[in-house]
Amino acid sequence: MAEPGDLGATRAGYDAIAEGYAKLFRAELADAPLDRALLAAFAEIVHREHGDAEVLEVGSGPGTVAAHLDHLGLAVRGIDLSPAMVGLARRAHPTITFEVGEMGDLDVPGAALAGVVAWYSLIHVPQPRRAAVLREFRRALRPSGHVLLAFQVGDDTLHLEQAFGHEIALDFHRLRADDVVALLHGAGFEVTARLEKAPEGGTAATRVPQGFVMARKPGPGDGHGPPA
Ligand SMILES: C[S@@+](CC[C@H](N)C(=O)[O-])C[C@H]1O[C@@H](n2cnc3c(N)ncnc32)[C@H](O)[C@@H]1O
């Protein structure tokens, strides 16, 4: 089946800017105590409930977030649409597995994962496919598995035709936390936490609030939610 056209543009865009992006965001977590706190809480919850079961970062880019989760003790691997990003992540973090993959069609059996992290990657999925992507996360998660989403907050789409000296056609869909929560509920998740960080200025990405939502696939004995 032909892939949706936006995936080709996103892949080509990130292939072109991978080096520049990796340099700019290499230390992104060092200056982000709230982000680190959320990742630490996610790691603690997942590890406590699922031990060493696998966590997948979807849209892992240069691998910084996956490496941080690995450092926090999770058995994490990453997938990304962009082969250039996967190459950079493998070189920077040779002990972690990174593969080319698409978050809407995970190469993972059902109920296999303890966690799915989409850290600023769901922002590239157009609205009509977002619900299906969240259902795919749910399919891949074990009962009581967790999902963590990070995104820029807003109603608009930032379209970039140029970045890091390259011609691109990348769409960054800002999302409303209420809409993300509704989509998660619709996909059969229970929302366990949400946080909105005030804008910090600087780049187009940080001039808007940042949203974070954590959710859980219902587990045995929960007695609600659609069947796995
Ligand atoms: C803004 S970057 C975030 C990278 C990394 N999570 C981080 O925070 O540094 C978005 C990444 O998601 C990837 N991506 C976008 N759409 C994707 C999809 N449908 N499946 C897998 N990866 C995707 C892009 O190639 C890019 O590397």
Side-chain angles (χ1 to χ4, degrees):
M1 201 169 68
E3 71 172 20
D6 61 280
L7 289 181
T10 303
R11 180 186 298 112
Y14 275 103
D15 274 348
I17 67 171
E19 297 271 357
Y21 180 98
K23 267 192 206 120
L24 185 66
F25 292 107
R26 186 168 292 144
E28 65 174 323
L29 289 175
D31 273 342
L34 278 174
D35 301 33
R36 290 201 310 279
L38 263 180
L39 289 165
F42 177 80
E44 183 177 335
I45 292 166
V46 169
H47 198 262
R48 189 180 59 207
E49 295 180 10
H50 298 280
D52 291 333
E54 189 169 68
V55 171
L56 187 67
E57 191 199 354
V58 298
S60 45
T64 313
V65 172
H68 190 71
L69 292 170
D70 173 74
H71 172 76
L72 291 170
L74 291 185
V76 64
R77 71 184 171 91
I79 62 146
D80 200 284
L81 198 55
S82 152
M85 282 295 198
V86 169
L88 285 174
R90 285 177 179 162
R91 279 199 293 285
H93 308 289
T95 60
I96 303 175
T97 299
F98 292 98
E99 287 158 329
V100 174
E102 203 278 292
M103 71 173 90
D105 185 15
L106 299 175
D107 189 11
V108 171
L113 301 172
V116 172
V117 176
W119 198 257
Y120 295 104
S121 55
L122 193 65
I123 57 171
H124 293 296
V125 178
Q127 189 275 334
R129 281 211 316 281
R130 247 170 252 149
V133 165
L134 295 181
R135 286 197 300 273
E136 175 65 352
F137 294 175
R138 186 180 184 281
R139 180 196 67 77
L141 281 168
R142 292 170 156 206
S144 308
H146 296 269
V147 64
L148 174 61
L149 309 174
F151 50 90
Q152 286 100 17
V153 174
D155 294 313
D156 55 327
T157 294
L158 173 71
H159 179 75
L160 288 187
E161 301 224 322
Q162 222 269 349
F164 301 103
H166 296 275
E167 305 291 314
I168 55 170
L170 271 181
D171 283 335
F172 300 76
H173 305 288
R174 279 126 182 202
L175 309 173
R176 290 264 165 225
D178 283 345
D179 296 338
V180 172
V181 164
L183 276 177
L184 283 162
H185 285 155
F189 286 96
E190 296 165 357
V191 172
T192 52
R194 58 191 277 185
L195 172 73
E196 196 164 302
K197 224 168 67 166
E200 291 172 341
T203 67
T206 55
R207 272 195 289 274
V208 294
Q210 310 293 305
F212 305 87
V213 178
M214 217 185 293
R216 172 180 175 276
K217 176 174 174 173
D222 283 345
H224 50 89

